[in-house]
Amino acid sequence: MKYDIFNLTQKRDDGWSAKRVLNHAADQVRLADELGFETAWFAEHHLSNYCLIPSPLMACAYLAPITKTIRLGAAVVVAPLYNPLRLVQEIALVDQLSDGRLSLGLGAGYQDYEFDRFGVKLKDGVEMTVEMLDIIERALTADSFAYDGKHYKIPQTQIATKTVQQPLPDIWVAGLSGIESLQDRMVASGYCPMHSPAWMPIDVVKRPRAGYDDRLRKAGRDPDTARFGVQRFIYVTDDKAEARKAAEHARYSSRLSQSLTNNTYKFDGYYIREEVCDYEPPIEDCMKNYVIGSADHAIETLVKDWETVRPSNIICTLQLGGVPEEKVMRTLELLGSKIIPGVEKELAARGAKQPEAIVTRPQLAQAAE
Amino acid sequence: MLSLLSEQPLHLGIRRGTAKLECDAWGVDMEEARERFAECLKITRLAHAGEPFQFEGKHFQMDRKVPMRLAPRADRINFYGAIGSPNSAEIMADLDLPPLVVANFPLHVQTRVIEAWEERTHTRGGRLDRDRPIMVQAWIADTGAEAQALVRHWAQLFFELQARHYQLDESAYQDIKGYEQFAKFFGNLKRIADPEQMGPWIDLQFVGTPATVRRQVEAYIEIGFNRFIIQVATYGVPRAVRHDMLRRFATDVAPKFSNCFQRGKAVQQTNETRGGIAP
């Protein structure tokens, strides 16, 4: 498997300045770069403490000159909140600045709170994201292009800066597993899906994985090597009280996310109030569902993840809800020194195949030219 | 986010947009550009004030309260309004934006630009002690003839490219309210691209021996500019030439005007891309 690191850049309270949150994320990425992680991902959210980064591509541009080999990813660009021409050009710019290390995650968004304030209808989000993907493919692969979609109309236009990665940068899509046409297109084009069980058991990813496998087989691709990302909250400790505390930190993040999803959020200033979610698992179950425990437990859990849904990439999320920085860095170091080697040894014994290389082969949609 | 990441003063030049092909691609009516520019600036300032805000404008409506969570370092963010005429100098002064000028216009026009900005700023009780940057190309050599050869060679490429970029729009500007003067300006680009006709434009740049360039800097300071953006990275100019020009400016010209450029520190500072000097 490959191992990534995910930065939500959450601000738990006034004890964390924005600068401290951003510096902490940068510190994690620098260490992950040294340890050989494949990709450092940055989330995008707006107008609350849930995530401080409004522009993951700006974060990638910031990290590009201070990292060496780690790929830099947006997970995800909330596509409907962008002007397509600005997004396309910034994708190319960041791929150039990082010398071809950009991974572009796309998502349709899920927070009414954000969409309302951007003047965009959340119900249009999926259609807009599909059209945005059309535009990204055309703009970056053609000398000149025009687009006449339902949501976007662009006259004949040239993009001066193209990506280092040809024909396109590495593209990932979050969620949207129910959008049949998009899923088929992803399989044909080599785009990678990403999923997260959050506070639920890993089994919840089985269904989208099974659907993805069917599509891969129909397309003649090998499900055992196709790329498939799974995000996991990981915290390494031998101390039970500390483990529970870590689960509470991660649960805080999921509670905020759910309140934004369900439009039940309440604010104190720009802080979303942490409120119990009707359907949240008990904290004891959360502790089991997250990857929390000793290094050996982490190895066992990640091997089980592979056996359950065969991720090509484990997207390690270490900082949620204000986990102390030194604990995050300790877990990251243990991942590099013990856990990842331990998992890989177990997978080798099980005959696991290496994930395929990153290759995009855009299948341009016929419509909207 | 940028002000937090940079940890340094952030200088942002802003303008309404001049390339018609860009506005067309974005679906923006150029006749609305000036109003949109003013509204964007108001929204930005509201946001940077740090309090939740709403906005009701002609082009932008933000009827939901928007909180700012990043607490931007507003004290480090400096906006400048791009100015190309005395008229736009007054508009930027009304918006409380210091001028950002490109050295493309004769010195008497630059003088009128600064005078107009100062007069309007004074009238409305604004601050005059602001940075007033001007972007100037620098071509420095041991002899004047050598510097002239350099600028004529490299600037030709730059203007040919600009002429091609704006040629698409040359005729279109005549009928766009608020952009009438651009038709003439973009038409001139093609003429300036001819090295034989480049002379008047060259006279406005920092071209010559270090002693000549120091006098040219003084002329701009006399007009009222106090921050210089040295432009050497134009189309086709090799990296070594760019670095050489920056180095010469930093070592042979700038120390006379700024303590930041003391000899011995200059090369290091150039490598840190310090381009501005404040007398």
Side-chain angles (χ1 to χ4, degrees):
Chain A
M1 288 194 294
K2 304 286 186 185
Y3 300 84
D4 301 344
I5 185 169
F6 178 76
N7 296 279
L8 184 59
T9 62
Q10 206 157 57
K11 186 175 184 309
R12 180 72 184 254
D13 53 41
D14 286 343
W16 295 74
S17 68
K19 186 63 185 166
R20 179 178 163 189
V21 171
L22 297 174
N23 282 346
H24 179 39
D27 287 344
Q28 290 177 66
V29 175
R30 282 194 202 92
L31 180 56
D33 188 28
E34 287 174 23
L35 294 171
F37 278 66
E38 181 169 76
T39 304
W41 297 96
F42 302 92
E44 170 184 332
H45 287 287
H46 301 271
L47 311 172
S48 80
N49 67 314
Y50 178 65
C51 158
L52 292 193
I53 292 182
S55 167
L57 289 171
M58 188 188 290
C60 293
Y62 174 71
L63 267 302
I66 55 178
T67 51
K68 295 185 180 77
T69 57
I70 196 166
R71 299 183 62 82
L72 300 163
V76 292
V77 161
V78 185
L81 303 185
Y82 284 78
N83 174 286
L85 289 175
R86 180 169 296 283
L87 178 60
V88 161
Q89 293 179 98
E90 291 186 353
I91 289 167
L93 175 67
V94 174
D95 199 49
Q96 288 285 342
L97 292 173
S98 64
D99 200 17
R101 288 190 281 145
L102 175 67
S103 286
L104 175 70
L106 286 175
Y110 65 91
Q111 297 184 6
D112 262 325
Y113 170 72
E114 293 176 337
F115 276 60
D116 283 350
R117 282 154 185 80
F118 273 73
V120 180
K121 292 188 176 81
L122 185 60
K123 70 177 178 59
D124 293 335
V126 172
E127 283 181 354
M128 294 173 83
T129 302
V130 172
E131 288 195 13
M132 191 69 88
L133 184 57
D134 290 345
I135 294 167
I136 290 168
E137 289 175 341
R138 282 158 205 277
L140 293 177
T141 58
D143 291 336
S144 175
F145 81 105
Y147 191 77
D148 185 14
K150 180 177 171 187
H151 299 282
Y152 302 109
K153 297 186 191 305
I154 300 171
Q156 203 65 37
T157 298
Q158 300 71 230
I159 302 297
T161 306
K162 299 290 170 64
T163 50
V164 172
Q165 296 174 82
Q166 287 293 317
L168 286 174
D170 180 27
I171 292 180
W172 294 53
V173 177
L176 303 177
S177 55
I179 312 299
E180 300 281 328
S181 60
L182 178 63
Q183 293 297 314
D184 285 339
R185 181 173 172 184
M186 286 169 58
V187 167
S189 301
Y191 305 154
C192 182
M194 58 170 71
H195 292 272
S196 171
W199 54 20
M200 300 299 285
I202 188 67
D203 289 356
V204 298
V205 184
K206 278 165 108 173
R207 189 169 166 185
R209 174 77 227 200
Y212 185 57
D213 284 355
D214 288 344
R215 291 176 205 283
L216 288 166
R217 286 191 198 94
K218 280 181 197 159
R221 291 179 59 196
D222 181 0
D224 286 338
T225 59
R227 296 186 308 136
F228 185 89
V230 174
Q231 186 188 35
R232 297 292 266 146
F233 175 71
I234 302 175
Y235 185 101
V236 179
T237 179
D238 293 326
D239 184 280
K240 282 191 177 169
E242 201 179 307
R244 184 183 175 98
K245 188 76 184 162
E248 288 171 355
H249 279 291
R251 184 182 63 181
Y252 166 86
S253 181
S254 289
R255 282 177 170 174
L256 264 51
S257 166
Q258 292 305 310
S259 72
L260 287 163
T261 304
N262 299 328
N263 286 329
T264 55
Y265 55 80
K266 292 183 182 118
F267 275 89
D268 294 317
Y270 59 79
Y271 290 101
I272 302 164
R273 221 175 276 168
E274 181 187 10
E275 294 197 332
V276 175
C277 176
D278 293 344
Y279 47 83
E280 70 180 37
I283 191 68
E284 293 76 16
D285 289 356
C286 289
M287 290 171 68
K288 289 179 199 159
N289 295 340
Y290 297 129
V291 185
I292 298 178
S294 67
D296 287 339
H297 172 75
I299 293 170
E300 285 168 25
T301 308
L302 294 178
V303 169
K304 183 179 166 232
D305 281 4
W306 180 82
E307 290 173 338
T308 309
V309 293
R310 291 190 323 290
S312 65
N313 289 61
I314 294 288
I315 304 169
C316 305
T317 306
L318 311 180
Q319 177 54 278
L320 290 177
V323 175
E325 288 111 318
E326 68 276 12
K327 308 285 189 192
V328 167
M329 301 308 273
R330 185 189 64 185
T331 293
L332 186 51
E333 283 169 2
L334 282 167
L335 275 163
S337 63
K338 187 171 180 184
I339 297 166
I340 291 173
V343 173
E344 289 304 301
K345 188 178 169 189
E346 293 293 326
L347 295 191
R350 286 162 173 76
K353 295 180 185 174
Q354 284 299 311
E356 63 190 11
I358 297 168
V359 177
T360 55
R361 40 185 179 278
Q363 311 290 305
L364 299 184
Q366 295 302 308
E369 180 77 60
Chain B
M1 180 173 170
L2 201 51
S3 75
L4 290 168
L5 291 175
S6 66
E7 295 185 319
Q8 296 290 334
L10 189 61
H11 300 284
L12 297 166
I14 52 177
R15 63 174 187 170
R16 59 180 160 147
T18 49
K20 189 170 185 304
L21 70 89
E22 291 171 349
C23 292
D24 288 348
W26 255 255
V28 172
D29 181 346
M30 289 184 88
E31 292 190 7
E32 296 176 353
R34 192 164 269 155
E35 290 175 347
R36 286 174 171 270
F37 175 90
E39 288 191 13
C40 279
L41 183 65
K42 278 182 192 167
I43 292 167
T44 306
R45 285 177 167 154
L46 277 170
H48 286 178
E51 296 298 321
F53 68 96
Q54 291 167 282
F55 185 80
E56 179 65 33
K58 181 176 170 187
H59 303 285
F60 301 101
Q61 292 81 38
M62 304 173 82
D63 53 352
R64 309 284 185 118
K65 265 199 174 175
V66 179
M68 288 296 291
R69 72 278 170 80
L70 282 178
R73 289 293 306 266
D75 57 317
R76 291 199 301 228
I77 302 174
N78 305 285
F79 285 106
Y80 303 90
I83 289 175
S85 69
N87 182 42
S88 56
E90 291 176 352
I91 292 168
M92 294 303 174
D94 286 341
L95 293 170
D96 195 28
L97 283 171
L100 169 63
V101 178
V102 180
N104 281 341
F105 302 98
L107 291 186
H108 70 272
V109 175
Q110 310 277 20
T111 304
R112 278 189 7 233
V113 162
I114 290 297
E115 285 173 351
W117 181 84
E118 286 183 341
E119 190 178 323
R120 185 61 70 96
T121 299
H122 177 72
T123 301
R124 48 173 288 278
R127 278 178 49 210
L128 291 169
D129 60 334
R130 313 282 284 271
D131 280 1
R132 303 161 185 193
I134 182 165
M135 185 159 72
V136 193
Q137 291 205 9
W139 299 96
I140 305 167
D142 293 337
T143 67
E146 198 184 336
Q148 285 281 331
L150 276 172
V151 67
R152 284 177 198 277
H153 177 70
W154 296 118
Q156 181 186 2
L157 294 178
F158 177 54
F159 282 116
E160 281 176 354
L161 183 68
Q162 285 215 57
R164 284 203 297 276
H165 178 62
Y166 289 110
Q167 195 172 8
L168 293 167
D169 313 313
E170 187 181 336
S171 58
Y173 287 95
Q174 290 159 2
D175 300 325
I176 303 173
K177 194 178 169 192
Y179 281 87
E180 297 86 348
Q181 75 277 23
F182 284 83
K184 186 180 169 194
F185 172 70
F186 292 129
N188 279 343
L189 283 173
K190 212 182 299 180
R191 184 174 53 77
I192 300 173
D194 178 358
E196 295 302 316
Q197 300 192 58
M198 209 181 270
W201 175 82
I202 290 176
D203 291 343
L204 301 169
Q205 312 307 311
F206 295 155
V207 178
T209 64
T212 304
V213 171
R214 286 194 290 270
R215 284 197 296 277
Q216 292 164 337
V217 173
E218 283 167 352
Y220 276 113
I221 292 171
E222 186 72 21
I223 290 172
F225 294 103
N226 58 10
R227 180 176 281 271
F228 293 86
I229 303 169
I230 302 304
Q231 188 185 25
V232 294
T234 56
Y235 174 64
V237 181
R239 181 181 289 193
V241 176
R242 297 175 181 190
H243 288 193
D244 188 42
M245 290 303 124
L246 277 181
R247 199 173 289 116
R248 294 206 71 161
F249 188 85
T251 55
D252 300 344
V253 177
K256 180 177 180 187
F257 304 100
S258 170
N259 291 334
C260 298
F261 286 88
Q262 289 166 7
R263 285 182 192 281
K265 285 187 178 174
V267 172
Q268 179 192 347
Q269 286 172 333
T270 304
N271 288 341
E272 290 168 1
T273 64
R274 291 190 64 127
I277 60 172

